[in-house]
Amino acid sequence: MHMSTNQPEAGDKRKVEIVEGGDQGAFSTKQSRLKNGDQSGTSSGPVQDSSSKIFQDPVHGTITVTGLCVKIIDTPQFQRLRYLKQLGGGYFVYPGAAHNRFEHSIGTYYLAGTFARILQQEYPDLKDDEIKCIEIAGLCHDLGHGPFSHVFDNFFIPRVVPGSKWKHEDASVMMLKYLRGENIEVKKAFDEFDKDGTRLELIKDLIQGGKGEDHVKDERVLEKRKTRPFLYEIVNNANTGIDVDKWDYFARDCHMMGMKNNFDHERYMKLARIILVEEEDGKVPRICARDKEADNLYDMFHTRLTLHRRAYHHEVTRGVELMIVDALVKANATVRILGQNRYRKISECIEDMEAYSKLNDSILQLVELPITLGTSPQETDSGTLEAREIIGRIWKRDLYKCVGQYNLSAADPFTQDDIPGIKEQILHAEKETTFDGEQFDIILKSFDYGQKKDDPITKVWFYNKSNPEKAFTQPEAQKSWMLPKRFQEREIAIYSKKKEFEEDIAKRFRLWSNARKEKFPEIKEQMTQMPEASNQ
């Protein structure tokens, strides 16, 4: 079966004129930048040119975008993000969670630019061109998400490409390169902006959080990881997890689902500053928080935990997402999407950005369509028919059901790789069985503060008002006695795919979990010896 999807149309092309008030000197400086060919977007205030656009955002209010960033947004590759649900299967649980990667990306762009310019006020060594790179990285950081966001990279790809280390950040870097090559206006603006050849490389490295080297070849960029690590602490902070990407999706997800967000990112930004901190290789500049912001940061990490418990790992959300994955796995055998000079399986699109740019949440509807999309009728293909049956069950709310959950002890070494063996143990928990391994799924959930079992605040640098140029980490004596002894708990959940097997599967899971509890009892001395578990 051959299938292609229609490209989403580019966004509204209307030009927006904005009236700027304020200091005349600042106005003249900004006008001078425009005359000198400043092609980047700016998010801290309205820098005027005829190509500026205003987005009215429900979370951040009015966002002004200009220059290169407008050109990036007005491409089919970026507009594709309008058709990727931010919360994947969460929309089937929270009807308000209809927001997409498109608005999240613009919100991240806004926060990235705003935060960088606040830091620049106290640290002028943060250059304007670096801020522009930070903004573009924030705008483009999610270009590589697949259908239903993390469902694609966390569940579908591992199922069909066992052992794959691919993540959506890899595709974001590839898609940015593809976007630049496919759109003449973007390429011209990028060439003007990236005259020394390092800026595109830096943008890609910021998206990846400064990890890995396959995407970056320029030694000047790799050197920035060592000498200017604060650049990597704004969009994708792999060190502490405190970054604008999370601030936007915390605020946006809570707003759209009707939950409370206790973290105040605006306060945090205004009180943060860049300070030279002493590390093994000498002094390096890092972003430091005001000492009294520790509680605010714990609120941030607790918000993360709450969202994972109540939304991202909601048992119905996970049930729907397991069904989406099963449908995509079935369709993967027959669905073909046209890429560069050849047709690709859904799973092969990650290697071909032309094909990947046509892939979005509409894949379910396209598979379900009762028409012939290729040279042979889909109705004769068993994989497509099975995929359609699963998709039809989603619309009818005939969902996979969670029939058992088990909290792993701190001493239990259970990992994702153990799931196939555990399925076999459950199948053979009793001599006779009415079902096989295809009738149930097991998933591993991890709830933490972003640093697995560790207290995330231990990696944060602080300063105090009396000595704002000296950075320090939080002393143990100042930590609250009310903090948990460990910051992670893990849980196994088992799902039955059909109602007739629910009782039998639940019974066998109870037998297995009771035996597991005896084998790995909760021992207080071992509470901090938990293995790492992946999470989105």
Side-chain angles (χ1 to χ4, degrees), residues 382-435:
S382 61
T384 303
L385 292 176
E386 290 173 3
R388 287 179 177 174
E389 180 185 358
I390 294 169
I391 295 167
R393 288 181 59 186
I394 295 175
W395 307 145
K396 297 173 184 176
R397 302 292 290 189
D398 180 16
L399 307 177
Y400 295 174
K401 184 176 180 180
C402 179
V403 295
Q405 299 184 78
Y406 170 64
N407 289 329
L408 294 165
S409 80
D412 197 322
F414 188 98
T415 69
Q416 193 77 27
D417 295 335
D418 295 325
I419 287 179
I422 299 303
K423 290 185 73 171
E424 284 297 313
Q425 293 177 25
I426 290 172
L427 272 174
H428 299 100
E430 292 185 333
K431 290 183 179 180
E432 295 184 3
T433 181
T434 59
F435 59 91

Side-chain angles (χ1 to χ4, degrees), residues 51 65 149 155 174 176 239 244 252 276 318 321 333 365 372 381 417 441 447 454 465 494:
S51 67
V65 188
S149 293
F155 298 101
M174 294 172 66
L176 177 59
N239 185 43
V244 297
R252 195 170 302 278
L276 289 174
R318 281 293 184 238
E321 291 177 347
Q365 284 80 8
T372 299
D381 178 80
D417 295 335
D441 262 329
F447 303 104
D454 298 325
K465 188 176 181 179
I494 188 167

Side-chain angles (χ1 to χ4, degrees), residues 101-114:
R101 291 284 162 183
F102 180 85
E103 49 266 42
H104 164 61
S105 296
I106 292 174
T108 304
Y109 151 85
Y110 166 76
L111 288 177
T114 300

Side-chain angles (χ1 to χ4, degrees), residues 491-530:
E491 179 182 285
I492 300 172
I494 188 167
Y495 283 79
S496 173
K497 298 184 181 182
K498 293 186 178 179
K499 283 183 168 54
E500 58 262 37
F501 302 128
E502 288 176 2
E503 187 175 334
D504 197 7
I505 291 172
K507 177 183 177 183
R508 289 167 184 266
F509 184 70
R510 284 194 297 272
L511 291 173
W512 174 85
S513 59
N514 288 336
R516 189 81 178 186
K517 190 178 297 183
E518 292 181 6
K519 186 175 181 180
F520 298 104
E522 188 68 82
I523 302 174
K524 292 183 179 181
E525 289 77 8
Q526 296 177 327
M527 280 188 173
T528 59
Q529 304 301 315
M530 300 180 70

